[in-house]
Amino acid sequence: YTTLFRSARKLGDSLNESKIMASLADVEDTIGEYESANDHYQQALRISQEARDLKQQASLTCNLGQLAYSQGDLPKAQELLERSLRTLKQIGCKNEESTALASLGMLHCSLDEYSKAIKYNEDALAISIEIHDKEGEMAFNNNLGQIYLFQKELEKASDCFTKALSIAEIIKDSRVESLSNCNIAFVCLIRNNVERAFWYLSASIKTLEKSVLHGESENFQIGFANQHNDPYRLMVVVLLKLGNIDQALSVSELGRARSLAQRMETQYSA
């Protein structure tokens, strides 16, 4: 990234300077280096302001809002996301607008303001359908499913998770396919449909195992220990409910082994 940034600066390419710096911040955000991510987003924002690139400014403001949200600073996150949304609406950037809307939706969900959370995510979903953005449609359905789950509207939650799963299978997004199967399994478990929960969790874990085994992508594996252990944990609960204690212990050990392996890989490949 440093070499690319220097090359762009040498050529006087402000637009690519900002994009390269933002890409570096994206990676740092993903691996939890929030302070560095914030610094690089701010640098990218200053460059885009100098270049008078409104779209990039709005996108980076949204990134900073999402970063503030992940660090628990909800007032700052809301101010940044709303500022980003206003600009994106003015300049007509639909894809980025849907991202800002959905981010505001999840922020309001954190504040237990579920009606606002649903409205923002429904607006984001409508845009993604309008512009044929399948990844957005998939993500916003999962968001809505989570919100409905908080409200204990299990039928609506299951419907949203199922839609997300269907899209994930079509576009071959293994990460979301596994996540959606796990979400549906959780709904089944709440409904006390343990056998059905077992079926969906088996599918979730199978997708994870296949993807990790084949080294599907670096992004899929980053943060595995933090983001992808839920199917294992939930499967332990399901197996205990089914009376399969030995299998539950085996799955628990497998989940821990995956976590350890990923931590070691991340540490020693740096």
Side-chain angles (χ1 to χ4, degrees):
Y1 285 105
T2 303
T3 303
L4 289 171
F5 180 77
R6 286 173 179 169
S7 297
R9 172 154 288 187
K10 188 175 181 180
L11 293 169
D13 188 349
S14 297
L15 180 59
N16 276 325
E17 273 187 66
S18 178
K19 287 182 177 178
I20 292 164
M21 191 62 69
S23 295
L24 174 58
D26 288 340
V27 173
E28 291 166 336
D29 186 12
T30 300
I31 62 177
E33 295 182 4
Y34 299 126
E35 188 173 342
S36 294
N38 183 71
D39 289 344
H40 287 127
Y41 278 138
Q42 293 285 4
Q43 282 182 251
L45 180 59
R46 284 194 292 273
I47 295 167
S48 66
Q49 288 169 337
E50 291 170 5
R52 297 183 180 180
D53 184 341
L54 286 178
K55 179 180 177 181
Q56 182 73 343
Q57 288 176 46
S59 294
L60 288 164
T61 301
C62 183
N63 291 145
L64 285 164
Q66 291 168 331
L67 187 61
Y69 172 74
S70 67
Q71 294 181 290
D73 191 344
L74 300 190
K76 181 179 178 181
Q78 185 170 352
E79 190 274 325
L80 289 166
L81 290 169
E82 288 177 347
R83 187 198 311 170
S84 171
L85 182 59
R86 284 193 298 271
T87 303
L88 291 167
K89 283 184 174 180
Q90 288 171 1
I91 62 179
C93 293
K94 292 287 189 179
N95 191 31
E96 291 80 2
E97 181 184 340
S98 67
T99 300
L101 283 165
S103 298
L104 277 166
M106 299 318 290
L107 184 148
H108 283 288
C109 183
S110 298
L111 296 170
D112 297 335
E113 296 172 348
Y114 298 121
S115 295
K116 288 183 179 179
I118 289 170
K119 180 63 168 63
Y120 275 117
N121 273 284
E122 284 181 339
D123 288 348
L125 179 60
I127 290 173
S128 69
I129 293 170
E130 176 190 341
I131 64 176
H132 308 291
D133 173 18
K134 286 297 180 183
E135 288 188 359
E137 187 178 344
M138 176 177 66
F140 307 144
N141 268 303
N142 260 328
N143 284 357
L144 284 165
Q146 293 290 347
I147 298 165
Y148 286 127
L149 197 55
F150 283 127
Q151 291 189 295
K152 297 184 173 56
E153 295 191 44
L154 301 184
E155 192 64 39
K156 289 182 178 179
S158 182
D159 183 54
C160 289
F161 291 144
T162 301
K163 287 177 181 175
L165 174 60
S166 177
I167 297 169
E169 290 172 341
I170 291 169
I171 67 175
K172 301 187 185 306
D173 188 321
S174 298
R175 181 186 66 83
V176 179
E177 184 180 340
S178 176
L179 173 66
S180 300
N181 272 309
C182 185
N183 286 337
I184 296 169
F186 187 66
V187 174
C188 291
L189 190 58
I190 293 173
R191 289 172 159 170
N192 207 33
N193 191 339
V194 183
E195 290 80 7
R196 198 65 178 161
F198 175 82
W199 189 91
Y200 279 108
L201 283 172
S202 297
S204 177
I205 291 171
K206 183 179 179 181
T207 302
L208 280 181
E209 294 291 328
K210 182 180 177 181
S211 300
V212 173
L213 180 65
H214 293 164
E216 183 176 89
S217 73
E218 183 181 353
N219 286 337
F220 183 88
Q221 295 190 46
I222 285 176
F224 182 93
N226 294 327
Q227 298 175 30
H228 299 296
N229 253 359
D230 283 348
Y232 295 98
R233 295 191 186 105
L234 203 55
M235 180 62 94
V236 170
V237 174
V238 167
L239 288 169
L240 288 172
K241 282 182 174 289
L242 291 171
N244 298 329
I245 297 173
D246 289 341
Q247 279 185 276
L249 290 171
S250 296
V251 171
S252 179
E253 288 300 321
L254 177 60
R256 280 198 290 271
R258 286 290 185 210
S259 298
L260 177 60
Q262 181 60 23
R263 286 198 296 271
M264 291 177 68
E265 180 181 344
T266 301
Q267 180 178 352
Y268 292 111
S269 63

